[in-house]
Amino acid sequence: MANSKYEYVKREFEFHRHLPASNWIVVLIDGCHFHRFSELHAFEKPNDERALRLMNACATSMLEKFPDIVFAYGVSDEYSFVFREKTEFHKRRESKIISLCVSYFTSVYGMKWKDFFPNDFKETPYFDGRVVCYPNIKTIRDYLAWRQVDCHINNQYNTCFWALVKSGKTEKEAHQALKGTFSKDKNKLLLQQFQVNYNDEPAVFRKGSSVYRDKVKTDDCGNPIKRTREAITVSSFDLIGPEFWENHQYILGEALCSRRRLNCTREMRD
Amino acid sequence: MANSKYEYVKREFEFHRHLPASNWIVVLIDGCHFHRFSELHAFEKPNDERALRLMNACATSMLEKFPDIVFAYGVSDEYSFVFREKTEFHKRRESKIISLCVSYFTSVYGMKWKDFFPNDFKETPYFDGRVVCYPNIKTIRDYLAWRQVDCHINNQYNTCFWALVKSGKTEKEAHQALKGTFSKDKNKLLLQQFQVNYNDEPAVFRKGSSVYRDKVKTDDCGNPIKRTREAITVSSFDLIGPEFWENHQYILGEALCSRRRLNCTREMRD
Amino acid sequence: MANSKYEYVKREFEFHRHLPASNWIVVLIDGCHFHRFSELHAFEKPNDERALRLMNACATSMLEKFPDIVFAYGVSDEYSFVFREKTEFHKRRESKIISLCVSYFTSVYGMKWKDFFPNDFKETPYFDGRVVCYPNIKTIRDYLAWRQVDCHINNQYNTCFWALVKSGKTEKEAHQALKGTFSKDKNKLLLQQFQVNYNDEPAVFRKGSSVYRDKVKTDDCGNPIKRTREAITVSSFDLIGPEFWENHQYILGEALCSRRRLNCTREMRD
Amino acid sequence: MANSKYEYVKREFEFHRHLPASNWIVVLIDGCHFHRFSELHAFEKPNDERALRLMNACATSMLEKFPDIVFAYGVSDEYSFVFREKTEFHKRRESKIISLCVSYFTSVYGMKWKDFFPNDFKETPYFDGRVVCYPNIKTIRDYLAWRQVDCHINNQYNTCFWALVKSGKTEKEAHQALKGTFSKDKNKLLLQQFQVNYNDEPAVFRKGSSVYRDKVKTDDCGNPIKRTREAITVSSFDLIGPEFWENHQYILGEALCSRRRLNCTREMRD
């Protein structure tokens, strides 16, 4: 960097904010004007599988690129990335973390688009990003539960809404018909009017997508040492109850983090 | 947004930081690992015109997309975007401003790449971003002067370095030869050893690129009302002296901002 | 500081926030629960001259203690202190600036109390503090104007309110009587019901108190070199119009700051 | 607040920073220029019991005033106050928390001075303050351990230093004699040269002072319902090991916080 008389503009005005230690860091990435973007590119309603699979592919690339992301959860045009509690990624500098995540995600979205959609972009896709810190396992799990409850409520509404629209109602009439309805009313509407059991809808629509490193047993070829490998996995399941977290304690636990990052662990055969 | 019992995770943990009013806001976008990226894609050294023109095209798209950006200055793999002093872009929320700028820039970089380079990406390009506030015209001009001095010092060094390397020196020998040299030593080296007058090098290499809205007279077709139109212009010139700024006071001045944003102004014929 | 294994608690968790350069810094100090405090100590209503003179004495001590405070403005139980634009007081660290100002002010308040009031404290006085940055002369002057408009509006209301109460109305009736009244209505009420011309009320009640360093000619004893001395002055006058500021440009101007801090300047006799 | 055209100076420039939820908040208050202050007021060296008891009295007042302070630890001219993890004191606004604590502490210091010292102040005492958040029990306990290790190291050094000075060495010679010594060297020096067993020094000097609410059984007068009362207690003991914390889990635990704030709990007789 040039050591000129103008350098004071950096020294006196640029501040680096560092996120507090011992907190999980969530980066939430959210599509900008994706309502219009989804119409321009003829996304299917209420859910477009290609669009969701593209988002999931981007999230997978994020976990491949940034080893300190331990979990990601996506729904619709948003994705949350959880950095491990003790990450020292760019010394926890806030602007670095936001900008690198949103830039890398955006770039992968552009590059992988053609793997999922037949035509070029009609409009430039872009995303906003924000960062939030959670100081303990309860709050980070509640964050993910919050996003999944949101997913459920929005998807149930949208499933009804588009069923009504496809059946001939205007969008205004569809909104009107759903106003003030509760969850069980919507399920009844789907069942009675459209013979749709909401719980039979694809899990990816109802539960969103979770991305994490799963422990996979590798073929041992008769070797007395068994290996487990960590494979990045995309799946749709319940995040609100304790089951998943109890079976995958290494994800939010820090005890295993050094081993996890080795990406390969050995266990003695019993 | 779902009104669940988990919503506290947003209310209690997410903070919105707003940048102080009456400050010019600079967003600086900088290529990540572009040393390797430039080698993988065989960028010419010390300057690759295609890469610079791609950066300039992205900057132009930024000014088209975000009307509150009044000036941009780029050199190598970095670009600074200056939002007008009184911008209310996303209520001056810091994370929105950083993330939207870096995401849009990245997306355009990916989409326009093929207009400048023959082959696909060998690696995912991405950028980091940061934001700095400047409270008055002196400091924002000094910021731009700082970047341009940096451009000059780096480019002069790189011009010498690559001339030495192309003449057969190793990179290590080239660095060694330049150690401790002053500006005039480097100019002398270029002239005597390589018959290169540094000041004859292309301005885009020596001065970087400025992007702004220039006032252009439109053809009036004998119409008694003259129109000026604002055209986004990319050019390379001195930003350190007062000349450019005196001739373009409307860029950093706020008086004209409302008219400027109309993008077209009328003046009575005299 | 002990170099123990626990030191990480400082390194990883304590952040120093520095206020941006080239901004005037205002520290606003405000009495806590002073409504009750003023009743316990039988402050006169609507204004207690002893209490105001004590506040002014504290403010004067602040300017004596902290040379980078260039102006202070007080009304009722609040005082604003303006640090000069380029102050490097504790490297502009926010928590240092807030805490030192509020602590010193509080301490002086306690020590000087007995100079103005006959009895000891019946309750511990304390103050809160906050800090705000203003990037230019217009905004810092508007800040002070804002406080003075507030002073006027509150004082005019309180003058009417206490006149009504002293005349026999309950506090509730007095509030009711003033509800929805405009400035001119209040002046009329004071004049017609109480024969009080509001503009004849003491300036210190109507305008608040300003504290600054005034230039005072020192007696020259026939010496060919005239000296001006800066004397800390407390006065009540209009801060909203340009007059005071035009006659005291050195207060907010930075050009004279180095001389000002010498606290004594020499001028050649003409 | 007056609704004038100047009000924008508050709306656009004043930002409220709130400390993140689910974190213990530490406010550290530290004497300003207390080296000189202690000399001016002839504090005994290395420790002045009156000065320490005054600090402890101020800390006790803090716990009486602010019920969300669950623990305080002081040494020399500093005191740390720990607000409970879930405190909503002034909505966790940083500037309020810093300024109110440091102002109240300062005010009490001034008012209680005469209870411990015979003469009036020769100089105005004042303190700075800072605030740090700790996200879990481990880090808040490590913070307190850090301060206590600091207390030990400083006190052991000062005990040696002043013993040497009182024995006739200059301050410079005393520093020189202690340079590079380890803990056990200092203990040996005290024992052999001054017949002082460091571990017999008063605990308040070696361990600092802790202030907290202890559970005290009240006299039950034959009543079948036993009451425990919380009494603010000042004591000097080890904070580094687990013992105190295991016996006083309610201090940093949140489970009991609502009951604790009732200040009185009932337990059935067994």
Side-chain angles (χ1 to χ4, degrees):
Chain A
M1 202 170 298
N3 208 345
S4 74
K5 68 166 174 166
Y6 299 115
E7 228 191 336
Y8 82 94
V9 295
K10 179 179 180 64
R11 199 176 54 245
E12 294 184 12
F13 292 94
E14 187 180 327
F15 303 107
H16 295 182
R17 199 158 21 242
H18 298 267
L19 299 171
S22 292
N23 277 262
W24 278 270
I25 298 170
V26 172
V27 177
L28 171 57
I29 290 174
D30 203 357
C32 262
H33 304 304
F34 259 52
H35 188 76
R36 188 179 64 189
F37 184 85
S38 68
E39 285 180 356
L40 271 174
H41 297 88
F43 283 12
E44 274 186 45
K45 296 294 182 181
N47 294 287
D48 186 292
E49 274 200 59
R50 298 162 306 171
L52 293 178
R53 282 193 286 122
L54 169 55
M55 291 293 284
N56 292 346
C58 294
T60 301
S61 293
M62 292 285 281
L63 268 83
E64 284 163 1
K65 179 76 179 176
F66 303 117
D68 280 2
I69 298 178
V70 292
F71 195 81
Y73 176 72
V75 40
S76 183
D77 61 344
E78 74 165 55
Y79 238 104
S80 298
F81 296 95
V82 181
F83 283 79
R84 65 191 189 86
E85 187 188 9
K86 300 217 180 294
T87 182
E88 285 300 325
F89 186 57
H90 285 274
K91 296 183 186 163
R92 304 177 77 93
R93 236 179 90 189
E94 184 174 353
S95 61
K96 284 275 186 187
I97 293 172
I98 290 183
S99 60
L100 292 175
C101 285
V102 81
S103 180
Y104 194 76
F105 189 94
T106 305
S107 207
V108 174
Y109 194 90
M111 288 169 73
K112 289 194 184 292
W113 172 265
K114 62 184 179 305
D115 300 347
F116 297 89
F117 288 90
N119 301 314
D120 279 352
F121 287 124
K122 292 177 166 55
E123 193 179 67
T124 311
Y126 67 120
F127 298 84
D128 71 22
R130 73 193 67 182
V131 70
V132 188
C133 285
Y134 290 101
N136 48 49
I137 289 190
K138 181 190 182 321
T139 48
I140 185 66
R141 277 188 47 188
D142 282 356
Y143 171 82
L144 294 166
W146 174 55
R147 299 320 306 137
Q148 193 167 54
V149 168
D150 223 32
C151 166
H152 165 69
I153 289 173
N154 290 333
N155 186 62
Q156 197 187 33
Y157 186 95
N158 291 337
T159 305
C160 293
F161 176 82
W162 288 103
L164 291 165
V165 168
K166 286 172 184 173
S167 78
K169 284 206 158 38
T170 65
E171 299 202 358
K172 200 178 161 183
E173 288 165 348
H175 280 306
Q176 205 57 41
L178 293 169
K179 216 171 165 178
T181 56
F182 291 104
S183 184
K184 65 174 184 340
D185 305 325
K186 294 197 192 74
N187 279 350
K188 210 157 116 187
L189 179 148
L190 286 172
L191 198 58
Q192 296 185 342
Q193 236 175 301
F194 303 104
Q195 289 73 53
V196 167
N197 185 333
Y198 180 71
N199 292 321
D200 293 342
E201 290 289 289
V204 63
F205 299 166
R206 290 181 296 115
K207 300 287 181 195
S209 301
S210 294
V211 189
Y212 61 99
R213 292 183 191 84
D214 207 359
K215 296 193 185 271
V216 175
K217 290 249 155 48
T218 55
D219 181 21
D220 60 11
C221 311
N223 196 316
I225 294 177
K226 255 192 200 162
R227 291 164 183 274
T228 49
R229 201 170 46 82
E230 294 199 328
I232 295 173
T233 305
V234 183
S235 187
S236 295
F237 50 79
D238 179 69
L239 284 172
I240 299 170
E243 195 186 336
F244 173 75
W245 299 111
E246 282 170 5
N247 293 334
H248 297 79
Q249 290 185 25
Y250 63 91
I251 290 178
L252 296 180
E254 275 298 314
L256 298 170
C257 72
S258 54
R259 284 167 69 204
R260 184 168 64 247
R261 281 188 297 165
L262 291 177
N263 235 22
C264 175
T265 61
R266 291 178 184 209
E267 293 166 20
M268 285 307 294
R269 218 173 245 243
D270 44 13
Chain B
M1 201 169 300
N3 209 344
S4 74
K5 68 166 173 166
Y6 299 115
E7 227 190 338
Y8 82 94
V9 295
K10 179 178 179 66
R11 198 176 56 246
E12 294 184 11
F13 293 94
E14 187 180 326
F15 304 107
H16 296 182
R17 201 157 21 241
H18 298 267
L19 298 170
S22 292
N23 278 262
W24 279 269
I25 297 170
V26 172
V27 177
L28 171 57
I29 289 174
D30 203 356
C32 263
H33 304 304
F34 259 52
H35 188 77
R36 189 179 64 189
F37 184 85
S38 69
E39 285 180 356
L40 272 175
H41 298 89
F43 282 13
E44 275 186 43
K45 298 292 183 178
N47 294 287
D48 187 291
E49 273 201 59
R50 299 162 304 171
L52 294 178
R53 283 194 285 124
L54 169 55
M55 290 292 284
N56 292 346
C58 295
T60 301
S61 293
M62 292 285 282
L63 270 83
E64 285 164 0
K65 179 76 179 177
F66 303 117
D68 280 1
I69 298 178
V70 292
F71 196 81
Y73 176 71
V75 41
S76 182
D77 61 344
E78 73 165 56
Y79 239 103
S80 298
F81 297 94
V82 181
F83 282 80
R84 66 192 188 83
E85 187 188 9
K86 299 213 181 297
T87 182
E88 286 299 327
F89 184 57
H90 284 275
K91 297 184 184 163
R92 304 177 78 92
R93 236 180 90 188
E94 184 175 354
S95 60
K96 284 276 187 188
I97 293 173
I98 290 183
S99 60
L100 292 174
C101 284
V102 80
S103 179
Y104 195 75
F105 189 93
T106 304
S107 206
V108 174
Y109 194 91
M111 289 169 74
K112 289 194 184 293
W113 171 265
K114 63 182 180 305
D115 299 346
F116 296 89
F117 288 89
N119 302 314
D120 280 352
F121 287 124
K122 292 178 166 51
E123 193 179 66
T124 311
Y126 67 119
F127 298 84
D128 72 22
R130 72 193 69 181
V131 70
V132 189
C133 285
Y134 290 102
N136 49 49
I137 288 190
K138 180 190 182 321
T139 48
I140 184 66
R141 276 189 47 189
D142 282 356
Y143 171 82
L144 294 166
W146 174 56
R147 299 320 304 139
Q148 193 166 56
V149 168
D150 222 33
C151 166
H152 166 68
I153 288 174
N154 290 333
N155 186 61
Q156 199 187 30
Y157 186 95
N158 291 337
T159 305
C160 293
F161 176 82
W162 288 103
L164 290 167
V165 168
K166 286 172 183 171
S167 77
K169 283 204 159 36
T170 64
E171 299 202 359
K172 201 179 160 184
E173 288 165 347
H175 280 307
Q176 205 55 41
L178 293 169
K179 216 172 165 179
T181 57
F182 291 104
S183 183
K184 66 173 183 342
D185 305 324
K186 294 196 193 74
N187 278 350
K188 211 158 112 186
L189 181 149
L190 286 172
L191 197 59
Q192 297 185 343
Q193 236 176 296
F194 303 103
Q195 289 75 53
V196 168
N197 186 333
Y198 180 72
N199 291 322
D200 293 343
E201 291 289 290
V204 63
F205 299 165
R206 290 180 298 113
K207 300 287 182 195
S209 301
S210 294
V211 189
Y212 61 100
R213 294 182 190 82
D214 207 1
K215 296 195 183 268
V216 176
K217 290 251 153 49
T218 55
D219 181 22
D220 61 10
C221 312
N223 195 315
I225 293 177
K226 256 193 198 162
R227 291 164 185 271
T228 49
R229 198 171 49 81
E230 294 199 330
I232 295 173
T233 305
V234 182
S235 187
S236 296
F237 49 80
D238 179 71
L239 285 171
I240 299 169
E243 197 185 334
F244 172 76
W245 299 110
E246 282 170 4
N247 292 335
H248 297 79
Q249 290 184 24
Y250 62 91
I251 290 177
L252 296 180
E254 275 299 316
L256 299 170
C257 72
S258 53
R259 284 167 69 206
R260 184 167 64 242
R261 283 188 296 167
L262 291 177
N263 236 20
C264 174
T265 61
R266 292 178 184 210
E267 293 166 20
M268 286 306 294
R269 219 170 243 244
D270 42 16
Chain C
M1 199 169 300
N3 209 345
S4 74
K5 68 166 173 165
Y6 299 114
E7 228 192 336
Y8 82 94
V9 295
K10 179 180 179 65
R11 198 175 55 244
E12 294 184 11
F13 292 94
E14 187 180 326
F15 303 107
H16 295 182
R17 201 161 18 245
H18 298 267
L19 298 170
S22 293
N23 278 261
W24 278 270
I25 297 169
V26 173
V27 177
L28 172 57
I29 288 173
D30 203 357
C32 263
H33 305 302
F34 259 52
H35 188 76
R36 190 179 62 187
F37 184 85
S38 68
E39 285 180 355
L40 272 175
H41 297 89
F43 284 12
E44 274 186 44
K45 298 293 183 181
N47 294 288
D48 186 290
E49 272 200 60
R50 300 162 303 171
L52 293 179
R53 282 193 286 121
L54 170 55
M55 290 292 285
N56 291 347
C58 295
T60 302
S61 293
M62 292 284 284
L63 268 82
E64 283 164 1
K65 178 77 178 176
F66 304 115
D68 280 1
I69 297 178
V70 293
F71 196 81
Y73 176 72
V75 41
S76 182
D77 61 345
E78 74 163 56
Y79 238 103
S80 298
F81 297 95
V82 181
F83 282 80
R84 66 191 188 83
E85 187 189 9
K86 301 214 179 296
T87 182
E88 286 299 325
F89 186 57
H90 284 275
K91 295 184 186 163
R92 305 177 78 93
R93 235 179 92 187
E94 183 173 355
S95 61
K96 285 275 186 188
I97 293 172
I98 290 183
S99 61
L100 293 173
C101 286
V102 82
S103 179
Y104 194 77
F105 189 94
T106 304
S107 206
V108 175
Y109 194 91
M111 290 169 72
K112 290 191 184 292
W113 173 265
K114 61 182 181 304
D115 300 347
F116 297 90
F117 288 90
N119 301 314
D120 280 352
F121 287 124
K122 292 178 167 50
E123 191 179 68
T124 311
Y126 67 119
F127 299 83
D128 70 23
R130 71 194 70 182
V131 69
V132 189
C133 286
Y134 291 101
N136 49 50
I137 289 188
K138 180 191 183 318
T139 48
I140 184 65
R141 278 188 46 189
D142 282 357
Y143 171 82
L144 294 166
W146 175 56
R147 299 319 306 136
Q148 195 166 53
V149 168
D150 222 33
C151 167
H152 166 69
I153 289 174
N154 290 333
N155 186 61
Q156 197 186 33
Y157 186 95
N158 291 336
T159 305
C160 294
F161 176 82
W162 288 103
L164 290 166
V165 168
K166 287 171 184 172
S167 77
K169 282 204 159 37
T170 65
E171 299 203 358
K172 200 177 160 186
E173 288 166 348
H175 281 305
Q176 204 57 41
L178 293 169
K179 215 170 166 181
T181 58
F182 292 103
S183 184
K184 64 173 186 344
D185 306 324
K186 296 197 192 72
N187 280 350
K188 211 158 115 188
L189 179 149
L190 286 171
L191 198 58
Q192 297 185 342
Q193 238 177 297
F194 303 102
Q195 290 73 53
V196 167
N197 186 334
Y198 181 71
N199 292 322
D200 294 342
E201 290 289 289
V204 64
F205 299 165
R206 289 181 297 112
K207 300 287 182 196
S209 301
S210 294
V211 189
Y212 62 98
R213 296 184 188 81
D214 208 1
K215 297 192 184 273
V216 175
K217 289 252 154 47
T218 56
D219 181 21
D220 60 11
C221 311
N223 196 316
I225 293 178
K226 255 191 199 161
R227 291 166 185 272
T228 50
R229 197 170 51 79
E230 294 199 328
I232 294 174
T233 305
V234 182
S235 186
S236 295
F237 48 80
D238 179 70
L239 285 171
I240 300 170
E243 197 184 334
F244 172 76
W245 299 111
E246 280 170 5
N247 292 335
H248 298 79
Q249 291 184 24
Y250 63 91
I251 290 178
L252 296 180
E254 274 299 314
L256 298 170
C257 71
S258 53
R259 284 168 68 204
R260 184 168 63 244
R261 283 188 296 165
L262 290 176
N263 236 23
C264 174
T265 62
R266 294 179 180 206
E267 293 167 19
M268 286 305 295
R269 217 171 245 243
D270 44 13
Chain D
M1 200 169 300
N3 208 345
S4 74
K5 69 167 173 165
Y6 299 113
E7 227 192 337
Y8 82 93
V9 296
K10 180 178 178 65
R11 199 175 55 244
E12 294 184 12
F13 292 94
E14 186 180 326
F15 303 107
H16 295 183
R17 201 161 17 245
H18 298 267
L19 298 171
S22 292
N23 278 261
W24 279 270
I25 297 171
V26 172
V27 177
L28 171 58
I29 288 174
D30 202 359
C32 261
H33 305 302
F34 259 52
H35 188 76
R36 189 178 64 188
F37 184 85
S38 68
E39 286 180 357
L40 271 175
H41 298 88
F43 283 13
E44 274 185 45
K45 298 292 182 180
N47 294 288
D48 187 289
E49 273 200 59
R50 300 163 302 172
L52 293 179
R53 282 193 287 125
L54 170 54
M55 290 292 285
N56 292 346
C58 295
T60 301
S61 293
M62 292 285 283
L63 269 81
E64 283 164 1
K65 179 75 179 177
F66 303 116
D68 280 1
I69 298 179
V70 291
F71 196 82
Y73 176 73
V75 41
S76 183
D77 62 343
E78 73 165 56
Y79 238 104
S80 298
F81 296 94
V82 181
F83 282 79
R84 65 191 188 85
E85 186 188 10
K86 300 216 179 297
T87 182
E88 285 300 325
F89 186 56
H90 284 274
K91 295 184 187 165
R92 306 177 77 94
R93 238 179 90 189
E94 184 174 354
S95 61
K96 285 274 187 190
I97 293 172
I98 290 183
S99 60
L100 292 174
C101 285
V102 81
S103 180
Y104 194 76
F105 189 94
T106 304
S107 207
V108 175
Y109 194 90
M111 289 170 74
K112 289 193 184 291
W113 172 265
K114 60 181 180 307
D115 299 346
F116 296 90
F117 289 90
N119 301 313
D120 279 352
F121 287 124
K122 293 179 165 50
E123 192 179 67
T124 311
Y126 67 120
F127 298 83
D128 71 21
R130 73 194 67 183
V131 70
V132 189
C133 286
Y134 290 102
N136 49 49
I137 288 190
K138 180 190 181 325
T139 48
I140 185 64
R141 278 189 45 190
D142 282 355
Y143 171 81
L144 294 166
W146 174 57
R147 298 320 303 137
Q148 194 166 53
V149 169
D150 223 32
C151 168
H152 166 68
I153 289 174
N154 291 333
N155 186 62
Q156 198 187 32
Y157 186 96
N158 292 337
T159 304
C160 294
F161 176 82
W162 288 103
L164 290 166
V165 168
K166 287 171 183 173
S167 76
K169 283 204 158 37
T170 64
E171 300 204 357
K172 201 178 161 185
E173 288 165 348
H175 281 305
Q176 203 57 40
L178 293 169
K179 216 171 165 180
T181 57
F182 291 104
S183 184
K184 66 171 182 346
D185 305 325
K186 295 197 192 72
N187 278 351
K188 211 158 112 187
L189 180 149
L190 286 172
L191 196 59
Q192 298 185 343
Q193 238 177 295
F194 302 103
Q195 290 73 54
V196 167
N197 186 334
Y198 180 71
N199 291 322
D200 293 342
E201 290 289 289
V204 64
F205 299 166
R206 289 180 297 114
K207 300 287 182 196
S209 301
S210 294
V211 189
Y212 61 99
R213 294 184 190 83
D214 208 0
K215 295 194 185 271
V216 176
K217 290 250 153 50
T218 56
D219 180 23
D220 60 10
C221 313
N223 196 316
I225 293 177
K226 256 192 199 159
R227 290 163 185 272
T228 48
R229 199 172 47 82
E230 295 199 328
I232 294 173
T233 304
V234 182
S235 186
S236 296
F237 50 79
D238 179 70
L239 285 170
I240 300 171
E243 195 185 336
F244 172 76
W245 299 111
E246 280 170 5
N247 292 333
H248 297 79
Q249 290 184 25
Y250 63 91
I251 290 179
L252 296 180
E254 276 299 314
L256 298 170
C257 71
S258 54
R259 284 167 68 204
R260 185 168 60 245
R261 282 188 297 167
L262 290 177
N263 235 23
C264 174
T265 61
R266 294 180 182 204
E267 293 165 20
M268 285 307 293
R269 218 171 243 244
D270 42 16

